[in-house]
Amino acid sequence: MGSRTALDSDVTTVGGVLTDRQPLDFHTLGLAGCIDRLTAPLRQRGTVVHWDTPHWGIEIPADSASLLYQSAREALSNAFKYSAAHTLTIQLAAVDHGIRLVVADDGTGFDSDLATCGRHHGYGLRLMAVAVQEAGGAVDINATPGMGTSVTVTLPLD
């Protein structure tokens, strides 16, 4: 676990939802930096966070960056609340005319069929999927009980 910084206290959990007290600053921190701030509560709990960001040099419009950030916040909040993961991997990569965000953990997983159709579960994931689809993108959620979870969000950039 890395050393704790003053910025770590700027990210809190409210009802298990990760909340950054600082305004988003994609210009200064970049999208990856803003998302990385959200991992502070997971790191403080002992979760190892790995980054893979082969997207350098690609300009991400502010509306797409905001949607990817909100999607990451939902996936990371779920990992914080439910996964008990030891390791979390975040990938932000350029793909054919777009950008892909993957948040994957080695935690407890879940039955994705039940989570997206149940009466009391999966609202955050469903709302995320609707927002991404309205932007012309796609969401893929792979989860298996005892085998971890992977949330993939792909957005077009043209």
Side-chain angles (χ1 to χ4, degrees):
M1 182 165 59
S3 63
R4 188 173 176 181
T5 68
L7 294 177
D8 289 344
S9 63
D10 289 338
V11 177
T12 62
T13 58
V14 178
V17 176
L18 301 175
T19 304
D20 192 342
R21 295 179 190 177
Q22 297 296 315
L24 284 179
D25 189 355
F26 295 128
H27 180 72
T28 302
L29 298 175
L31 176 58
C34 289
I35 292 171
D36 191 52
R37 288 175 50 85
L38 293 173
T39 66
L42 289 144
R43 291 176 198 264
Q44 290 167 4
R45 193 163 70 185
T47 305
V48 176
V49 177
H50 296 285
W51 270 93
D52 183 18
T53 56
H55 76 290
W56 299 109
I58 293 178
E59 187 172 328
I60 303 171
D63 57 342
S64 294
S66 180
L67 184 52
L68 288 167
Y69 174 85
Q70 296 302 330
S71 297
R73 187 175 80 163
E74 176 63 26
L76 291 167
S77 292
N78 285 343
F80 181 81
K81 287 190 286 189
Y82 306 118
S83 78
H86 299 294
T87 304
L88 183 79
T89 301
I90 304 169
Q91 181 183 58
L92 195 56
V95 293
D96 247 351
H97 304 286
I99 187 121
R100 177 172 295 143
L101 168 74
V102 180
V103 177
D105 68 58
D106 65 355
T108 58
F110 61 93
D111 184 334
S112 56
D113 290 334
L114 292 177
T116 56
C117 69
R119 287 184 55 187
H120 303 290
H121 302 289
Y123 287 116
L125 293 174
R126 284 185 271 183
L127 290 172
M128 177 184 69
V130 167
V132 169
Q133 289 167 357
E134 285 181 359
V139 174
D140 182 39
I141 300 167
N142 287 310
T144 304
M147 301 291 289
T149 302
S150 175
V151 177
T152 303
V153 176
T154 306
L155 290 179
L157 288 181
D158 47 7

PDB file of all heavy atoms in Angstrom, residues 54-81:
ATOM      1  N   PRO A  54      -2.543   2.991 -22.252  1.00  0.00           N
ATOM      2  CA  PRO A  54      -1.916   3.204 -23.567  1.00  0.00           C
ATOM      3  C   PRO A  54      -2.743   4.120 -24.469  1.00  0.00           C
ATOM      4  O   PRO A  54      -2.978   3.825 -25.630  1.00  0.00           O
ATOM      5  CB  PRO A  54      -1.836   1.781 -24.125  1.00  0.00           C
ATOM      6  CG  PRO A  54      -3.015   1.093 -23.533  1.00  0.00           C
ATOM      7  CD  PRO A  54      -3.173   1.687 -22.156  1.00  0.00           C
ATOM      8  N   HIS A  55      -3.208   5.225 -23.941  1.00  0.00           N
ATOM      9  CA  HIS A  55      -4.034   6.153 -24.736  1.00  0.00           C
ATOM     10  C   HIS A  55      -3.365   7.502 -24.952  1.00  0.00           C
ATOM     11  O   HIS A  55      -3.993   8.424 -25.446  1.00  0.00           O
ATOM     12  CB  HIS A  55      -5.389   6.367 -24.044  1.00  0.00           C
ATOM     13  CG  HIS A  55      -5.320   7.281 -22.863  1.00  0.00           C
ATOM     14  ND1 HIS A  55      -4.705   6.912 -21.697  1.00  0.00           N
ATOM     15  CD2 HIS A  55      -5.741   8.554 -22.683  1.00  0.00           C
ATOM     16  CE1 HIS A  55      -4.781   7.926 -20.837  1.00  0.00           C
ATOM     17  NE2 HIS A  55      -5.400   8.929 -21.405  1.00  0.00           N
ATOM     18  N   TRP A  56      -2.113   7.647 -24.587  1.00  0.00           N
ATOM     19  CA  TRP A  56      -1.448   8.943 -24.656  1.00  0.00           C
ATOM     20  C   TRP A  56      -1.567   9.568 -26.033  1.00  0.00           C
ATOM     21  O   TRP A  56      -1.467   8.903 -27.048  1.00  0.00           O
ATOM     22  CB  TRP A  56       0.030   8.804 -24.279  1.00  0.00           C
ATOM     23  CG  TRP A  56       0.189   8.288 -22.889  1.00  0.00           C
ATOM     24  CD1 TRP A  56       0.629   7.053 -22.520  1.00  0.00           C
ATOM     25  CD2 TRP A  56      -0.148   8.947 -21.680  1.00  0.00           C
ATOM     26  NE1 TRP A  56       0.599   6.907 -21.157  1.00  0.00           N
ATOM     27  CE2 TRP A  56       0.111   8.064 -20.614  1.00  0.00           C
ATOM     28  CE3 TRP A  56      -0.663  10.201 -21.386  1.00  0.00           C
ATOM     29  CZ2 TRP A  56      -0.107   8.404 -19.291  1.00  0.00           C
ATOM     30  CZ3 TRP A  56      -0.878  10.532 -20.057  1.00  0.00           C
ATOM     31  CH2 TRP A  56      -0.590   9.640 -19.038  1.00  0.00           C
ATOM     32  N   GLY A  57      -1.785  10.862 -26.029  1.00  0.00           N
ATOM     33  CA  GLY A  57      -1.846  11.603 -27.278  1.00  0.00           C
ATOM     34  C   GLY A  57      -3.233  11.703 -27.872  1.00  0.00           C
ATOM     35  O   GLY A  57      -3.432  12.389 -28.863  1.00  0.00           O
ATOM     36  N   ILE A  58      -4.204  11.058 -27.273  1.00  0.00           N
ATOM     37  CA  ILE A  58      -5.566  11.122 -27.790  1.00  0.00           C
ATOM     38  C   ILE A  58      -6.332  12.171 -27.015  1.00  0.00           C
ATOM     39  O   ILE A  58      -6.351  12.160 -25.781  1.00  0.00           O
ATOM     40  CB  ILE A  58      -6.275   9.757 -27.665  1.00  0.00           C
ATOM     41  CG1 ILE A  58      -5.600   8.765 -28.591  1.00  0.00           C
ATOM     42  CG2 ILE A  58      -7.751   9.885 -27.981  1.00  0.00           C
ATOM     43  CD1 ILE A  58      -6.176   7.396 -28.510  1.00  0.00           C
ATOM     44  N   GLU A  59      -6.934  13.082 -27.731  1.00  0.00           N
ATOM     45  CA  GLU A  59      -7.740  14.105 -27.076  1.00  0.00           C
ATOM     46  C   GLU A  59      -9.137  13.539 -26.827  1.00  0.00           C
ATOM     47  O   GLU A  59      -9.793  13.055 -27.746  1.00  0.00           O
ATOM     48  CB  GLU A  59      -7.825  15.355 -27.953  1.00  0.00           C
ATOM     49  CG  GLU A  59      -8.496  16.503 -27.252  1.00  0.00           C
ATOM     50  CD  GLU A  59      -8.405  17.788 -28.051  1.00  0.00           C
ATOM     51  OE1 GLU A  59      -7.410  17.972 -28.758  1.00  0.00           O
ATOM     52  OE2 GLU A  59      -9.345  18.583 -27.956  1.00  0.00           O
ATOM     53  N   ILE A  60      -9.550  13.608 -25.570  1.00  0.00           N
ATOM     54  CA  ILE A  60     -10.861  13.099 -25.182  1.00  0.00           C
ATOM     55  C   ILE A  60     -11.751  14.303 -24.903  1.00  0.00           C
ATOM     56  O   ILE A  60     -11.446  15.101 -24.005  1.00  0.00           O
ATOM     57  CB  ILE A  60     -10.769  12.201 -23.931  1.00  0.00           C
ATOM     58  CG1 ILE A  60      -9.800  11.041 -24.184  1.00  0.00           C
ATOM     59  CG2 ILE A  60     -12.145  11.677 -23.542  1.00  0.00           C
ATOM     60  CD1 ILE A  60      -9.476  10.230 -22.948  1.00  0.00           C
ATOM     61  N   PRO A  61     -12.837  14.476 -25.671  1.00  0.00           N
ATOM     62  CA  PRO A  61     -13.734  15.602 -25.428  1.00  0.00           C
ATOM     63  C   PRO A  61     -14.257  15.590 -23.993  1.00  0.00           C
ATOM     64  O   PRO A  61     -14.416  14.519 -23.383  1.00  0.00           O
ATOM     65  CB  PRO A  61     -14.876  15.373 -26.424  1.00  0.00           C
ATOM     66  CG  PRO A  61     -14.313  14.460 -27.465  1.00  0.00           C
ATOM     67  CD  PRO A  61     -13.286  13.624 -26.768  1.00  0.00           C
ATOM     68  N   ALA A  62     -14.555  16.773 -23.467  1.00  0.00           N
ATOM     69  CA  ALA A  62     -14.972  16.907 -22.072  1.00  0.00           C
ATOM     70  C   ALA A  62     -16.214  16.077 -21.750  1.00  0.00           C
ATOM     71  O   ALA A  62     -16.275  15.462 -20.674  1.00  0.00           O
ATOM     72  CB  ALA A  62     -15.228  18.375 -21.742  1.00  0.00           C
ATOM     73  N   ASP A  63     -17.181  16.018 -22.656  1.00  0.00           N
ATOM     74  CA  ASP A  63     -18.389  15.243 -22.356  1.00  0.00           C
ATOM     75  C   ASP A  63     -18.088  13.744 -22.291  1.00  0.00           C
ATOM     76  O   ASP A  63     -18.618  13.035 -21.430  1.00  0.00           O
ATOM     77  CB  ASP A  63     -19.526  15.536 -23.341  1.00  0.00           C
ATOM     78  CG  ASP A  63     -19.152  15.286 -24.792  1.00  0.00           C
ATOM     79  OD1 ASP A  63     -17.949  15.210 -25.121  1.00  0.00           O
ATOM     80  OD2 ASP A  63     -20.077  15.177 -25.619  1.00  0.00           O
ATOM     81  N   SER A  64     -17.209  13.268 -23.138  1.00  0.00           N
ATOM     82  CA  SER A  64     -16.810  11.853 -23.097  1.00  0.00           C
ATOM     83  C   SER A  64     -15.980  11.569 -21.848  1.00  0.00           C
ATOM     84  O   SER A  64     -16.166  10.539 -21.195  1.00  0.00           O
ATOM     85  CB  SER A  64     -16.000  11.479 -24.346  1.00  0.00           C
ATOM     86  OG  SER A  64     -16.810  11.550 -25.498  1.00  0.00           O
ATOM     87  N   ALA A  65     -15.077  12.486 -21.509  1.00  0.00           N
ATOM     88  CA  ALA A  65     -14.260  12.313 -20.305  1.00  0.00           C
ATOM     89  C   ALA A  65     -15.152  12.268 -19.067  1.00  0.00           C
ATOM     90  O   ALA A  65     -14.956  11.430 -18.174  1.00  0.00           O
ATOM     91  CB  ALA A  65     -13.230  13.442 -20.188  1.00  0.00           C
ATOM     92  N   SER A  66     -16.144  13.130 -19.023  1.00  0.00           N
ATOM     93  CA  SER A  66     -17.055  13.161 -17.883  1.00  0.00           C
ATOM     94  C   SER A  66     -17.845  11.857 -17.773  1.00  0.00           C
ATOM     95  O   SER A  66     -18.002  11.308 -16.679  1.00  0.00           O
ATOM     96  CB  SER A  66     -18.014  14.348 -18.016  1.00  0.00           C
ATOM     97  OG  SER A  66     -18.889  14.395 -16.924  1.00  0.00           O
ATOM     98  N   LEU A  67     -18.315  11.350 -18.892  1.00  0.00           N
ATOM     99  CA  LEU A  67     -19.071  10.095 -18.885  1.00  0.00           C
ATOM    100  C   LEU A  67     -18.182   8.919 -18.480  1.00  0.00           C
ATOM    101  O   LEU A  67     -18.600   8.046 -17.708  1.00  0.00           O
ATOM    102  CB  LEU A  67     -19.711   9.847 -20.247  1.00  0.00           C
ATOM    103  CG  LEU A  67     -20.620   8.637 -20.381  1.00  0.00           C
ATOM    104  CD1 LEU A  67     -21.689   8.601 -19.294  1.00  0.00           C
ATOM    105  CD2 LEU A  67     -21.271   8.619 -21.763  1.00  0.00           C
ATOM    106  N   LEU A  68     -16.953   8.887 -18.961  1.00  0.00           N
ATOM    107  CA  LEU A  68     -16.019   7.828 -18.561  1.00  0.00           C
ATOM    108  C   LEU A  68     -15.687   7.932 -17.073  1.00  0.00           C
ATOM    109  O   LEU A  68     -15.605   6.920 -16.376  1.00  0.00           O
ATOM    110  CB  LEU A  68     -14.739   7.887 -19.402  1.00  0.00           C
ATOM    111  CG  LEU A  68     -14.908   7.444 -20.852  1.00  0.00           C
ATOM    112  CD1 LEU A  68     -13.680   7.837 -21.677  1.00  0.00           C
ATOM    113  CD2 LEU A  68     -15.169   5.952 -20.949  1.00  0.00           C
ATOM    114  N   TYR A  69     -15.517   9.145 -16.583  1.00  0.00           N
ATOM    115  CA  TYR A  69     -15.256   9.356 -15.156  1.00  0.00           C
ATOM    116  C   TYR A  69     -16.432   8.850 -14.313  1.00  0.00           C
ATOM    117  O   TYR A  69     -16.237   8.135 -13.329  1.00  0.00           O
ATOM    118  CB  TYR A  69     -15.003  10.839 -14.886  1.00  0.00           C
ATOM    119  CG  TYR A  69     -14.876  11.158 -13.420  1.00  0.00           C
ATOM    120  CD1 TYR A  69     -13.662  11.030 -12.760  1.00  0.00           C
ATOM    121  CD2 TYR A  69     -15.983  11.606 -12.694  1.00  0.00           C
ATOM    122  CE1 TYR A  69     -13.540  11.313 -11.403  1.00  0.00           C
ATOM    123  CE2 TYR A  69     -15.871  11.901 -11.341  1.00  0.00           C
ATOM    124  CZ  TYR A  69     -14.659  11.748 -10.705  1.00  0.00           C
ATOM    125  OH  TYR A  69     -14.556  12.030  -9.365  1.00  0.00           O
ATOM    126  N   GLN A  70     -17.648   9.216 -14.691  1.00  0.00           N
ATOM    127  CA  GLN A  70     -18.827   8.777 -13.937  1.00  0.00           C
ATOM    128  C   GLN A  70     -18.982   7.259 -13.995  1.00  0.00           C
ATOM    129  O   GLN A  70     -19.372   6.624 -13.000  1.00  0.00           O
ATOM    130  CB  GLN A  70     -20.100   9.462 -14.454  1.00  0.00           C
ATOM    131  CG  GLN A  70     -20.101  10.966 -14.273  1.00  0.00           C
ATOM    132  CD  GLN A  70     -19.941  11.411 -12.828  1.00  0.00           C
ATOM    133  OE1 GLN A  70     -20.343  10.729 -11.894  1.00  0.00           O
ATOM    134  NE2 GLN A  70     -19.322  12.570 -12.626  1.00  0.00           N
ATOM    135  N   SER A  71     -18.668   6.665 -15.129  1.00  0.00           N
ATOM    136  CA  SER A  71     -18.719   5.204 -15.263  1.00  0.00           C
ATOM    137  C   SER A  71     -17.679   4.551 -14.357  1.00  0.00           C
ATOM    138  O   SER A  71     -17.967   3.551 -13.683  1.00  0.00           O
ATOM    139  CB  SER A  71     -18.479   4.796 -16.716  1.00  0.00           C
ATOM    140  OG  SER A  71     -19.507   5.304 -17.550  1.00  0.00           O
ATOM    141  N   ALA A  72     -16.477   5.124 -14.332  1.00  0.00           N
ATOM    142  CA  ALA A  72     -15.427   4.601 -13.449  1.00  0.00           C
ATOM    143  C   ALA A  72     -15.852   4.742 -11.993  1.00  0.00           C
ATOM    144  O   ALA A  72     -15.646   3.825 -11.191  1.00  0.00           O
ATOM    145  CB  ALA A  72     -14.113   5.341 -13.692  1.00  0.00           C
ATOM    146  N   ARG A  73     -16.465   5.856 -11.655  1.00  0.00           N
ATOM    147  CA  ARG A  73     -16.914   6.067 -10.271  1.00  0.00           C
ATOM    148  C   ARG A  73     -17.927   5.005  -9.867  1.00  0.00           C
ATOM    149  O   ARG A  73     -17.876   4.474  -8.767  1.00  0.00           O
ATOM    150  CB  ARG A  73     -17.488   7.463 -10.096  1.00  0.00           C
ATOM    151  CG  ARG A  73     -17.793   7.764  -8.631  1.00  0.00           C
ATOM    152  CD  ARG A  73     -18.233   9.166  -8.456  1.00  0.00           C
ATOM    153  NE  ARG A  73     -19.637   9.232  -8.843  1.00  0.00           N
ATOM    154  CZ  ARG A  73     -20.439  10.224  -8.512  1.00  0.00           C
ATOM    155  NH1 ARG A  73     -19.982  11.252  -7.849  1.00  0.00           N
ATOM    156  NH2 ARG A  73     -21.689  10.209  -8.892  1.00  0.00           N
ATOM    157  N   GLU A  74     -18.841   4.661 -10.758  1.00  0.00           N
ATOM    158  CA  GLU A  74     -19.834   3.624 -10.459  1.00  0.00           C
ATOM    159  C   GLU A  74     -19.155   2.265 -10.281  1.00  0.00           C
ATOM    160  O   GLU A  74     -19.413   1.551  -9.313  1.00  0.00           O
ATOM    161  CB  GLU A  74     -20.877   3.550 -11.579  1.00  0.00           C
ATOM    162  CG  GLU A  74     -21.895   2.452 -11.403  1.00  0.00           C
ATOM    163  CD  GLU A  74     -22.759   2.616 -10.151  1.00  0.00           C
ATOM    164  OE1 GLU A  74     -22.948   3.750  -9.672  1.00  0.00           O
ATOM    165  OE2 GLU A  74     -23.258   1.583  -9.655  1.00  0.00           O
ATOM    166  N   ALA A  75     -18.263   1.916 -11.200  1.00  0.00           N
ATOM    167  CA  ALA A  75     -17.579   0.618 -11.111  1.00  0.00           C
ATOM    168  C   ALA A  75     -16.691   0.546  -9.866  1.00  0.00           C
ATOM    169  O   ALA A  75     -16.672  -0.479  -9.172  1.00  0.00           O
ATOM    170  CB  ALA A  75     -16.753   0.372 -12.378  1.00  0.00           C
ATOM    171  N   LEU A  76     -15.977   1.626  -9.565  1.00  0.00           N
ATOM    172  CA  LEU A  76     -15.096   1.640  -8.394  1.00  0.00           C
ATOM    173  C   LEU A  76     -15.902   1.658  -7.096  1.00  0.00           C
ATOM    174  O   LEU A  76     -15.508   1.030  -6.110  1.00  0.00           O
ATOM    175  CB  LEU A  76     -14.145   2.831  -8.452  1.00  0.00           C
ATOM    176  CG  LEU A  76     -13.083   2.753  -9.555  1.00  0.00           C
ATOM    177  CD1 LEU A  76     -12.388   4.101  -9.736  1.00  0.00           C
ATOM    178  CD2 LEU A  76     -12.081   1.648  -9.259  1.00  0.00           C
ATOM    179  N   SER A  77     -17.025   2.355  -7.084  1.00  0.00           N
ATOM    180  CA  SER A  77     -17.890   2.350  -5.896  1.00  0.00           C
ATOM    181  C   SER A  77     -18.409   0.949  -5.629  1.00  0.00           C
ATOM    182  O   SER A  77     -18.439   0.494  -4.481  1.00  0.00           O
ATOM    183  CB  SER A  77     -19.063   3.318  -6.077  1.00  0.00           C
ATOM    184  OG  SER A  77     -18.629   4.660  -6.091  1.00  0.00           O
ATOM    185  N   ASN A  78     -18.821   0.255  -6.680  1.00  0.00           N
ATOM    186  CA  ASN A  78     -19.294  -1.122  -6.516  1.00  0.00           C
ATOM    187  C   ASN A  78     -18.170  -2.027  -6.023  1.00  0.00           C
ATOM    188  O   ASN A  78     -18.389  -2.882  -5.161  1.00  0.00           O
ATOM    189  CB  ASN A  78     -19.886  -1.657  -7.818  1.00  0.00           C
ATOM    190  CG  ASN A  78     -21.254  -1.073  -8.111  1.00  0.00           C
ATOM    191  OD1 ASN A  78     -21.908  -0.520  -7.230  1.00  0.00           O
ATOM    192  ND2 ASN A  78     -21.684  -1.176  -9.347  1.00  0.00           N
ATOM    193  N   ALA A  79     -16.976  -1.823  -6.549  1.00  0.00           N
ATOM    194  CA  ALA A  79     -15.838  -2.617  -6.080  1.00  0.00           C
ATOM    195  C   ALA A  79     -15.579  -2.337  -4.604  1.00  0.00           C
ATOM    196  O   ALA A  79     -15.313  -3.255  -3.825  1.00  0.00           O
ATOM    197  CB  ALA A  79     -14.587  -2.310  -6.916  1.00  0.00           C
ATOM    198  N   PHE A  80     -15.668  -1.077  -4.219  1.00  0.00           N
ATOM    199  CA  PHE A  80     -15.444  -0.693  -2.821  1.00  0.00           C
ATOM    200  C   PHE A  80     -16.506  -1.321  -1.910  1.00  0.00           C
ATOM    201  O   PHE A  80     -16.182  -1.861  -0.854  1.00  0.00           O
ATOM    202  CB  PHE A  80     -15.457   0.834  -2.683  1.00  0.00           C
ATOM    203  CG  PHE A  80     -15.217   1.310  -1.282  1.00  0.00           C
ATOM    204  CD1 PHE A  80     -13.932   1.387  -0.775  1.00  0.00           C
ATOM    205  CD2 PHE A  80     -16.277   1.665  -0.466  1.00  0.00           C
ATOM    206  CE1 PHE A  80     -13.706   1.821   0.525  1.00  0.00           C
ATOM    207  CE2 PHE A  80     -16.062   2.095   0.839  1.00  0.00           C
ATOM    208  CZ  PHE A  80     -14.776   2.178   1.338  1.00  0.00           C
ATOM    209  N   LYS A  81     -17.769  -1.237  -2.327  1.00  0.00           N
ATOM    210  CA  LYS A  81     -18.870  -1.706  -1.478  1.00  0.00           C
ATOM    211  C   LYS A  81     -18.973  -3.218  -1.401  1.00  0.00           C
ATOM    212  O   LYS A  81     -19.279  -3.761  -0.349  1.00  0.00           O
ATOM    213  CB  LYS A  81     -20.214  -1.174  -1.999  1.00  0.00           C
ATOM    214  CG  LYS A  81     -20.446   0.285  -1.753  1.00  0.00           C
ATOM    215  CD  LYS A  81     -21.875   0.687  -2.072  1.00  0.00           C
ATOM    216  CE  LYS A  81     -22.120   0.740  -3.559  1.00  0.00           C
ATOM    217  NZ  LYS A  81     -23.429   1.316  -3.911  1.00  0.00           N
TER     218      LYS A  81
END
